[in-house]
Amino acid sequence: MNRLPASASRYIVGVYAAAVAAVVWFLLPHAPLADVEPEVLLLLAVFTLLGELRPINAPLGREGLELTTSNTFAFAILLAAGPALAALTLAASAMVADVVARKSWWKVLFNAAQYVLCIVAAGVTVDLLKGPVDESTTTMLSSNRALFAAIAAALVFFVTNVSITGVALALAQRLPLLSVFREDFAYQTIANTALLALAPVAVVVGNANVLLLPLLLVPLGVAYRSATVSLEKEHQARHDSLTGLPNRLLFRQRTDDAIQAASRQGTIAAIMLIDLDRFKEVNDTLGHHVGDRILQWVGPRLQEAVRPGDTVARLGGDEFGVVLPGLPNVQTAIDVAGRLHEALSQPIKIDGLSLSTTGSIGVSIYPEHGADVDTLMQRADVAMYVAKDTHQPSVTYHPSLDHNSPSRLALVGELQTALEAGQFVVHYQPKVSVETQAATGAEALIRWEHPRQGVVPPSDFIPIAEQTGLIHALTAFVIGQALGECKRWAANGHDISVAVNLSPRTLLDPEFPAFVAEQLEVTGVQPHRLVLEITETMIMADPERSRQGLVELRRLGVRLSVDDYGTGHSSLSYLKQLPINEMKIDKSFITNMTEDHSDAVITRSTVDLAHRLGLTVVAEGVETAETSRLLASIGCDEAQGYYFSRPVPAASFLAWLDRNSGRAWSLDDADAAFPAVIPVRSNT
Ligand code: C2E
Ligand code: CA
Ligand code: CA
């Protein structure tokens, strides 16, 4: 039960409690509608048990709305001997059958409890409708009134049964209630009507001669058989015959359900397409039967890696699909993709042969990447092909992947080897004190020196690196380089800090803090000399996990900076609870602030606010002396931008430091030039 959503667990406990409470009702007197001999009752009870032991959809091994012939006989007992005996027989039979079928304890109890409640509902209906008891007519269900009560009770029994199980299924599988019923409601109604309609007949027939009762098993057997056949047909239309998994049709339906559930609950849903690598070769060299065995092996492996309500489908050939409804965030989807990939990579033993498969996984997310089944599947497909082409375990869709021009795809492929080939370099851009104009630190900015395409800017490859997981290696590389340089600057008399940009995935990586600690240890750089820049949007994407990540990093003694401040929609009241030291006002507010009055006002109030929160404020994108002066008049602490220096290679940066140490930038006219460009807010 612990893998179920909390709402489902609560519901199940509620059903248990209601069934226990119902016992009180059974103690009240309930006159039966008919009167039968004890041996008839005994036979009805035996048939109830047999019916439970052979549920109609058992041959399909499917869990869901189960249909059993036991209902016919239990309902007959209700009519003939009242609710207490009926409930006892049905609940006990269900428990025996479920224990035999090795269902988990909570399912055993749930089925028994829901049967008790069905009998209560039907029994209450009988009590209400049967009218004054008249011995001469009721005993054989011969009055119309009694028959009417019996039929109404059958209807109530059915509706209660389907509702209680339907709600449990919907909650457990995180599906809308309607979609649970959509799959086989019509069939359930017809089959249940047929089964329950036989109950009064069983009572009357049994009373005439108990030996007639087994004869009833003949029509029941026919009904049973035809129900099973139609269920099998239904099942075949939506399932793959080789693996028994849902097929493309059902996969699309489940995707649609997941979209609707997510839009109602304000959660997200993930679609994953998985293609086995080199499956064709295995099939061709080892034969189809080995190929089939692999495909049959894959389904259960994937199912073990996801939650009970998630769907694993075979879409055809060696392509599988997974739908994950009701996820809290994108990172969870990425984590699951990792688990699925791992599950696939386990070795398989077939005919004494140890084989290994791998798969490429493409992920798309509702609502981020599309609002309908077709779009989401198409985008997951794009991501899957990128994963395959670039030998990544999984790739999450990103619009940049759509421009799958050959050169772009090639770039994705080359990214992997570029690191080993030493094509990445780190450039440094100074941060200076606005007051003294002396360098206080530098930001490390990565560049890809591509052998043919020249310098590729980070905006062209960082998103891809983030999608493919290579970002961890890139960040590790930049941190290593940056700390090395920081040490060199100190050796040359420049005691300044170095800042490194983090990606969302890095911040959420549980192993990252230990890596940083190790790098600090190896290089001997003091922790407070390292600044980690995290963008505002990144924190707000998953505030709780981000906070944990930040707290752990802060514990190491490194400084934390909120980058691109002002571009996200974070509430300052939230940011101030985070262990941050610095705020970098985004360059979009700074670059034109000498012309744009509102930019200047925003910057001033942001500086005021940040100071009140005890944060250092850095302005980025400073391109002119005027901007620098204006920032000084506002009280901003540090500045960064082309005016001081563009990002430059490590050697040039050290030369810049040497040249600029002790040099004061001319600030003489700052106050004269900008006396009161912006209103000075005294106290708010
Ligand atoms: P960012 O962190 O906001 O970095 C500042 C960007 O502004 C840099 O672009 C820098 O060259 C540019 N810039 C600096 N001064 C000025 C100026 O006065 N005017 C204007 N218009 N721009 C200026 P760059 O180097 O192209 O980096 C772009 C983004 O790529 C960075 O934005 C950062 O988000 C990301 N990035 C760069 N290196 C790394 C890295 O090592 N790891 C990660 N995760 N992201 C990185
Ligand atoms: Ca930055
Ligand atoms: Ca920035």
Side-chain angles (χ1 to χ4, degrees):
M1 199 152 121
N2 40 17
R3 286 181 78 196
L4 288 176
S7 56
S9 308
R10 274 199 300 275
Y11 174 77
I12 289 168
V13 171
V15 170
Y16 293 162
V20 171
V23 170
V24 179
W25 179 84
F26 287 112
L27 297 177
L28 303 173
H30 304 282
L33 283 180
D35 206 9
V36 296
E37 299 303 317
E39 63 268 25
V40 175
L41 280 181
L42 187 66
L43 209 54
L44 289 174
V46 170
F47 288 167
T48 305
L49 178 62
L50 290 179
E52 275 298 318
L53 287 170
R54 293 290 312 266
I56 288 179
N57 40 1
L60 305 174
R62 162 172 93 153
E63 285 207 55
L65 300 172
E66 223 172 44
L67 187 63
T68 58
T69 53
S70 63
N71 291 3
T72 307
F73 303 108
F75 194 69
I77 298 176
L78 168 73
L79 299 178
L85 197 60
L88 198 65
T89 314
L90 190 53
S93 303
M95 287 174 86
V96 170
D98 286 350
V99 168
V100 169
R102 293 172 186 282
K103 291 195 180 168
S104 49
W105 64 268
W106 63 268
K107 279 187 194 158
V108 175
L109 289 184
F110 180 78
N111 286 340
Q114 72 106 1
Y115 272 150
V116 168
L117 294 178
C118 289
I119 296 282
V120 170
V124 167
T125 313
V126 170
D127 285 353
L128 289 177
L129 297 181
K130 70 169 182 264
V133 181
D134 173 352
E135 284 298 324
S136 64
T137 55
T138 53
T139 45
M140 294 302 254
L141 273 167
S142 51
S143 87
N144 290 344
R145 176 95 192 235
L147 201 57
F148 167 65
I151 292 169
L155 203 70
V156 168
F157 183 96
F158 163 63
V159 171
T160 313
N161 189 348
V162 171
S163 313
I164 295 180
T165 2
V167 171
L169 275 179
L171 290 176
Q173 309 195 350
R174 304 168 176 83
L175 292 173
L177 194 54
L178 274 182
S179 78
V180 170
F181 293 133
R182 188 172 68 196
E183 272 180 40
D184 50 13
F185 185 73
Y187 160 76
Q188 284 279 339
T189 312
I190 295 168
N192 273 285
T193 311
L195 288 176
L196 292 173
L198 273 178
V201 179
V203 173
V204 176
V205 164
N207 243 4
N209 181 348
V210 69
L211 292 180
L212 283 175
L213 211 45
L215 277 187
L216 258 192
L217 293 184
V218 178
L220 206 56
V222 174
Y224 176 95
R225 183 71 208 130
S226 81
T228 310
V229 168
S230 80
L231 208 59
E232 267 165 8
K233 276 212 192 105
E234 178 83 355
H235 189 269
Q236 276 162 15
R238 291 160 194 273
H239 291 79
D240 164 55
S241 57
L242 178 68
T243 60
L245 295 174
N247 62 12
R248 189 174 282 269
L249 184 75
L250 189 51
F251 178 78
R252 293 182 58 96
Q253 210 171 72
R254 295 274 170 83
T255 305
D256 197 39
D257 293 340
I259 290 173
Q260 280 168 34
S263 88
R264 258 185 309 111
Q265 302 160 354
T267 53
I268 66 168
I271 309 301
M272 302 185 181
L273 298 185
I274 305 170
D275 198 83
L276 301 187
D277 299 329
R278 297 187 317 276
F279 178 75
K280 203 180 159 308
E281 290 163 35
V282 172
N283 220 17
D284 292 349
T285 50
L286 298 176
H288 285 284
H289 83 282
V290 174
D292 285 356
R293 294 273 293 280
I294 293 178
L295 294 174
Q296 286 166 331
W297 176 89
V298 165
R301 295 298 85 71
L302 296 178
Q303 263 159 342
E304 282 160 18
V306 299
R307 304 164 301 175
D310 301 333
T311 299
V312 173
R314 181 178 174 216
L315 305 180
D318 59 349
E319 199 185 358
F320 292 82
V322 176
V323 186
L324 306 164
L327 296 181
N329 52 49
V330 178
Q331 187 58 41
T332 316
I334 294 173
D335 293 346
V336 174
R339 279 215 304 276
L340 289 169
H341 187 265
E342 231 168 76
L344 278 181
S345 314
Q346 295 163 27
I348 325 167
K349 273 232 165 5
I350 292 175
D351 300 342
L353 220 64
S354 183
L355 300 172
S356 71
T357 51
T358 49
S360 306
I361 307 178
V363 185
S364 70
I365 305 286
Y366 169 87
E368 205 177 319
H369 303 142
D372 59 84
V373 179
D374 285 321
T375 313
L376 288 169
M377 284 185 69
Q378 185 255 328
R379 301 207 146 155
D381 203 50
V382 168
M384 195 265 285
Y385 274 105
V386 173
K388 220 179 198 20
D389 284 343
T390 59
H391 308 289
Q392 307 291 332
S394 78
V395 169
T396 307
Y397 175 80
H398 185 272
S400 66
L401 302 178
D402 261 340
H403 321 297
N404 270 335
S405 62
S407 81
R408 176 149 197 116
L409 257 185
L411 212 61
V412 177
E414 283 165 328
L415 199 53
Q416 181 82 37
T417 45
L419 193 56
E420 292 138 40
Q423 292 170 8
F424 289 108
V425 291
V426 180
H427 285 193
Y428 299 87
Q429 185 180 34
K431 283 179 181 173
V432 304
S433 153
V434 170
E435 201 188 335
T436 68
Q437 306 280 300
T440 56
E443 178 171 4
L445 294 157
I446 194 164
R447 301 286 179 264
W448 182 1
E449 292 179 344
H450 193 279
R452 289 182 310 282
Q453 301 189 20
V455 177
V456 182
S459 56
D460 276 11
F461 64 87
I462 292 286
I464 300 173
E466 283 172 349
Q467 302 297 311
T468 58
L470 191 68
I471 192 68
H472 292 314
L474 277 188
T475 308
F477 168 75
V478 176
I479 289 182
Q481 294 285 307
L483 290 179
E485 283 307 311
C486 189
K487 195 173 166 185
R488 200 147 70 101
W489 302 331
N492 284 274
H494 306 289
D495 269 328
I496 62 170
S497 63
V498 70
V500 173
N501 293 285
L502 294 192
S503 284
R505 281 180 81 167
T506 312
L507 182 60
L508 300 180
D509 175 5
E511 279 149 36
F512 182 65
F515 169 79
V516 174
E518 184 200 308
Q519 289 292 306
L520 288 168
E521 174 99 38
V522 170
T523 53
V525 171
Q526 291 164 296
H528 73 272
R529 292 262 181 246
L530 177 63
V531 181
L532 297 174
E533 296 191 1
I534 310 111
T535 66
E536 189 189 350
T537 35
M538 188 160 130
I539 296 171
M540 297 320 283
D542 190 350
E544 195 31 51
R545 281 181 70 187
S546 303
R547 204 182 63 81
Q548 287 167 18
L550 293 174
V551 167
E552 281 194 46
L553 289 171
R554 190 68 197 99
R555 219 176 266 151
L556 300 177
V558 304
R559 290 162 53 83
L560 300 172
S561 171
V562 176
D563 202 354
D564 300 348
Y565 182 78
T567 56
H569 303 281
S570 53
S571 71
L572 253 176
S573 60
Y574 184 79
L575 283 183
K576 82 168 184 227
Q577 300 168 18
L578 299 173
I580 50 177
N581 310 87
E582 180 183 282
M583 205 148 102
K584 289 183 86 171
I585 304 179
D586 189 65
K587 51 180 170 289
S588 59
F589 297 96
I590 305 299
T591 309
N592 291 320
M593 70 185 284
T594 49
E595 274 93 56
D596 189 320
H597 185 66
S598 63
D599 278 356
V601 173
I602 292 171
T603 304
R604 172 184 286 278
S605 52
T606 308
V607 169
D608 287 351
L609 205 68
H611 280 166
R612 256 178 276 155
L613 298 177
L615 302 174
T616 305
V617 191
V618 182
E620 63 174 21
V622 179
E623 296 183 353
T624 61
E626 287 92 325
T627 310
S628 174
R629 287 194 202 101
L630 183 52
L631 287 168
S633 78
I634 279 174
C636 181
D637 305 296
E638 294 175 18
Q640 178 183 349
Y642 295 165
Y643 171 58
F644 307 104
S645 166
R646 291 191 172 250
V648 292
S652 318
F653 182 72
L654 186 56
W656 182 93
L657 278 180
D658 289 339
R659 260 201 326 278
N660 286 278
S661 58
R663 166 185 169 183
W665 299 71
S666 164
L667 255 186
D668 302 344
D669 308 335
D671 293 332
F674 300 95
V677 185
I678 49 172
V680 178
R681 293 198 319 181
S682 43
N683 42 26
T684 7

